[in-house]
Amino acid sequence: MRYILLFVLIFFPLFSQEKKQTITLGMGPYIQTQPYAGVDSVITPSPVIFFDNSLFYIRWTRIGLYFLGEKKEDFSWGFSLTAQPRIYGYDSSDISGMDKRETSFEGGLAFSIKMDKAYLELMAVTDLVDRHDTWIYNAEVGYDLELGNFSFYPSVLASYQSSKFTNYYYGVTQIEATRKGESMYAPSSGLQLGIQTYIEYPFTKKLSALVNIRADKLSSKASNSPLTNDDYIYSGLASLIYTFEY
């Protein structure tokens, strides 16, 4: 089932015959700190794509396909299939005695609603590539606002992470504990909270600067792991973006 979801999200939009769509493209450095002791931050170039034709959407590195909803100028709602990467984990050489924990790709169901400049999104996603192999439940509430030439898109986020997820990324198995000469750690489920904002500044009608800043507070179960030395994950992106019609 998970591979069918990936196929639909990637290839179905190729058959769309929609015309005169607006698309935003860009590229910039993405930085994400790691809460693990001794593990370096992730620094990588990241494509930036924003597109929504009321059938298919791309929001940065997340893709989705609507199957039910309504879109108006001041009010819209929709259900969609969606998928996105999760940049978590570490290599076995990063933490002595531990096996590798890998980046995942998650997909599932999303519901979004927007009224004027306020929006709410709920998501239920599962691991599509056999990493933690469980469901994660996410919620985001945000508001669009302007200050001079700057546009801000602040939001508050919450993520309910199951015990399988916290065990995969923050747990220590019995075998790993024996290697390390420590006690095993099997955390239960937890709630991770976060805040973020996008900031956009236009240079011309088509060319703009885009910055994303985000901070996530780990659940208490993740923070109590012997592997972590920070309660927060900080991430951000800086990019030039170009918006056009095709």
Side-chain angles (χ1 to χ4, degrees):
M1 183 65 185
R2 64 188 63 182
Y3 302 109
I4 294 175
L5 172 61
L6 282 174
F7 178 85
V8 170
L9 288 173
I10 293 172
F11 292 105
F12 183 80
L14 297 178
F15 299 96
S16 174
Q17 300 299 317
E18 296 290 338
K19 297 181 179 180
K20 283 293 182 181
Q21 299 299 328
T22 299
I23 185 169
T24 297
L25 300 176
M27 174 72 74
Y30 173 74
I31 301 173
Q32 178 181 297
T33 65
Q34 297 281 42
Y36 306 107
V39 178
D40 294 334
S41 299
V42 174
I43 304 176
T44 184
S46 173
V48 180
I49 306 174
F50 291 98
F51 172 78
D52 192 327
N53 66 355
S54 301
L55 172 65
F56 174 72
Y57 62 83
I58 306 176
R59 300 170 187 166
W60 190 354
T61 55
R62 177 183 158 202
I63 59 177
L65 180 68
Y66 295 110
F67 62 87
L68 183 65
E70 182 179 23
K71 186 174 183 179
K72 298 181 180 179
E73 186 174 343
D74 59 348
F75 177 77
S76 61
W77 64 274
F79 286 92
S80 64
L81 299 176
T82 190
Q84 63 185 0
R86 178 177 292 277
I87 311 299
Y88 271 29
Y90 53 84
D91 194 78
S92 57
S93 61
D94 292 331
I95 305 178
S96 177
M98 296 297 296
D99 293 330
K100 183 177 182 179
R101 302 297 196 269
E102 298 185 79
T103 290
S104 179
F105 198 79
E106 299 167 348
L109 181 67
F111 170 74
S112 60
I113 184 169
K114 184 172 184 180
M115 183 178 295
D116 194 15
K117 296 183 178 182
Y119 64 90
L120 165 69
E121 184 163 51
L122 305 174
M123 294 173 56
V125 294
T126 187
D127 174 25
L128 299 177
V129 288
D130 295 322
R131 304 292 192 243
H132 53 79
D133 196 25
T134 187
W135 286 88
I136 305 298
Y137 302 97
N138 302 323
E140 181 176 4
V141 179
Y143 191 84
D144 303 345
L145 56 92
E146 296 181 358
L147 182 61
N149 291 328
F150 288 89
S151 297
F152 295 86
Y153 308 93
S155 62
V156 178
L157 309 99
S159 177
Y160 176 81
Q161 301 167 343
S162 72
S163 58
K164 283 188 177 181
F165 178 94
T166 54
N167 265 289
Y168 182 74
Y169 284 111
Y170 303 108
V172 180
T173 67
Q174 184 61 65
I175 294 175
E176 292 167 333
T178 300
R179 292 187 202 138
K180 294 172 67 64
E182 300 176 359
S183 299
M184 67 176 293
Y185 183 68
S188 58
S189 59
L191 182 66
Q192 179 171 296
L193 302 175
I195 56 173
Q196 76 165 346
T197 188
Y198 289 90
I199 306 171
E200 183 177 351
Y201 181 84
F203 298 120
T204 68
K205 289 184 177 181
K206 294 185 177 181
L207 184 66
S208 303
L210 180 70
V211 174
N212 172 264
I213 304 171
R214 176 167 174 168
D216 290 278
K217 187 180 187 306
L218 300 183
S219 69
S220 60
K221 304 303 180 183
S223 295
N224 290 335
S225 169
L227 306 178
T228 60
N229 66 348
D230 198 331
D231 292 341
Y232 292 86
I233 296 174
Y234 300 99
S235 59
L237 169 84
S239 174
L240 286 176
I241 56 174
Y242 185 77
T243 301
F244 62 95
E245 290 186 343
Y246 74 99

